Every structure is written in structure tokens, then in C-alpha cells.
Amino acid sequence: MDIRTYIHNIGNFTLLFLVFFAAFIAPIFPKDWSPTLYNLAYVGIFWAALATLGRKHVLTWIAIITASTLELLSSLIKSSFLDNISNAAGLLFFLTLVVVLINQIARTPTVTPKVILHAINGYLLLGLCFALLTAIVMYYWPNAYQLPASMDAKERIAGCVYYTFVTYTTLGYGDITPILPITRSLAVFSAVVGQLYLTVIVAMLVGKFVSAHHSLTNPQTSDH
């Protein structure tokens, strides 16, 4: 294994850890820690993505530095407007990263551990995209969701992640409820996209596995 492959693998596992942390572990900590933990996790995801984005063009570096700076500033400067700007930058970056991961999955001819890792990262990152989008919607429409009475401003980030993944996976507990038509449409869109991602990615992985198995069992056919 050469050094570039080693760094690429370390980066992908780091990305998985950070995405997993943001989605499932950060909400466990005290609510006073929540904004800082999410800011740090997102900054870590931006830089870990370097291992996944392939060639490092100037625009890639600019995007990572800009998104990271906005996240760090939003953690230091308590401003709803700055939080919203950093959420928008994170959303665009995560969406780009999901597209890159799906493209790499599609271009890889066989099912490898790296492909499976890309599929998992893409699914979790797409969920975080909807969490950031939900946070942006809450900024412009503060009463767009019916929230539990016990949830304060410091719990909003964790609440957005929780609500998004409950909706994204079509579990739907209903303790956080969309009220406005736009938020109801976003909930439906989130649920549909989550299921489409699983359907498309699983179909791609099964197709690659079957193709590779066919090539091994019928080498003469595969040569033609």
C-alpha cells in the first residue's frame, strides 16, 4: 500500500467517525456543549473530505477554508445571521461531497470496503444536509415546527439532527412536527430522498457484485 492510498483510507475512516459523531454522539453531551461540538465536528468533516475529493483544485481549498472559517466564527461570535450563513456553506459543501461519493461508487467496478465506506458516509452526510436545511428553515420561519416545550435554543442543533434522521429514515416519532406547508413538503422530500438513496446505492452495489461474480465464474464470457 503506497502512502497516498494509506492517507486516503485514513481520511475516509476519519470522515466516517466525524459524521457518526455529529449524527449520533454529539447529542448525548450536555446541551451547553452542543453548538461547539457541532462546529468542531463540521470543521473536521470539511478537512477530512480532502481525502475523498480526489484532485485538490484551488476551488477545493477555498471552499474548505471558507466553510471552516465560517464555522469557527459562528462558534465564537453569537450571531443568528452568521450561524445561518455557516449552515448554508456547510450544506453546499456536504451536498458536493455526497455527489463526489456517489460518483466514486458508480465508477468503481467492484464492491470493495472503500465503496461500502463511501456509501455509508454518503447516507449520513445526506442526513446532515437535511439537518442543516432544517436549521436554515427555522431561521427564516421560527414557528415552522412545533417543538417540545423543554427544548431551548442551545438544543436546536441537536433537535434538527434528531428530527431530520427520524424523518429521513421514515421512522417519524412525531414529537417535532412540521406545521407550515414548506416544512411539510421538506419532510416528505427528506423521507423520499432517504429511501431513494438506499434503493439506488443498494442496486448499484448488487449490480457490481453480480458483475464481478459473473466475471470470475465465466472468464471467457467476460473477455468478449
Side-chain angles (χ1 to χ4, degrees):
M1 181 185 297
D2 59 34
I3 187 65
R4 300 178 99 183
T5 303
Y6 179 78
I7 294 174
H8 183 78
N9 291 339
I10 292 296
N12 283 327
F13 278 107
T14 302
L15 179 62
L16 176 61
F17 170 77
L18 291 169
V19 174
F20 189 88
F21 178 86
F24 308 118
I25 301 177
I28 300 175
F29 288 88
K31 62 182 180 181
D32 291 337
W33 300 13
S34 183
T36 302
L37 288 176
Y38 279 105
N39 288 136
L40 293 176
Y42 289 161
V43 170
I45 291 171
F46 297 149
W47 288 99
L50 274 175
T52 302
L53 290 173
R55 294 181 180 178
K56 282 64 174 186
H57 296 290
V58 175
L59 290 177
T60 302
W61 287 101
I62 292 175
I64 291 174
I65 293 172
T66 301
S68 300
T69 302
L70 287 171
E71 282 293 335
L72 292 174
L73 286 176
S74 67
S75 67
L76 297 173
I77 303 173
K78 305 304 178 184
S79 168
S80 298
F81 177 75
L82 185 58
D83 287 342
N84 195 48
I85 295 298
S86 66
N87 286 338
L91 172 61
L92 291 175
F93 190 91
F94 287 172
L95 280 175
T96 302
L97 187 53
V98 170
V99 172
V100 171
L101 289 171
I102 294 175
N103 182 55
Q104 291 186 3
I105 294 170
R107 292 172 58 185
T108 304
T110 59
V111 179
T112 64
K114 185 176 74 171
V115 169
I116 296 174
L117 190 60
H118 284 343
I120 296 171
N121 282 335
Y123 184 71
L124 296 178
L125 278 168
L126 194 55
L128 291 179
C129 287
F130 281 108
L132 290 172
L133 186 56
T134 300
I136 294 172
V137 170
M138 281 188 178
Y139 173 79
Y140 287 105
W141 293 277
N143 298 319
Y145 294 90
Q146 183 178 348
L147 305 174
S150 60
M151 182 179 292
D152 57 23
K154 293 181 179 179
E155 296 177 293
R156 290 290 177 89
I157 301 176
C160 286
V161 174
Y162 162 76
Y163 164 77
T164 294
F165 276 94
V166 167
T167 305
Y168 183 59
T169 57
T170 66
L171 183 59
Y173 281 125
D175 49 346
I176 299 177
T177 308
I179 297 175
L180 300 180
I182 186 173
T183 53
R184 290 174 178 170
S185 295
L186 179 59
V188 173
F189 182 66
S190 173
V192 171
V193 169
Q195 299 308 300
L196 282 177
Y197 181 94
L198 290 176
T199 302
V200 172
I201 295 300
V202 169
M204 289 172 61
L205 295 179
V206 171
K208 293 176 186 298
F209 180 80
V210 171
S211 177
H213 180 72
H214 179 75
S215 298
L216 290 174
T217 56
N218 299 277
Q220 294 181 349
T221 304
S222 61
D223 291 336
H224 289 292

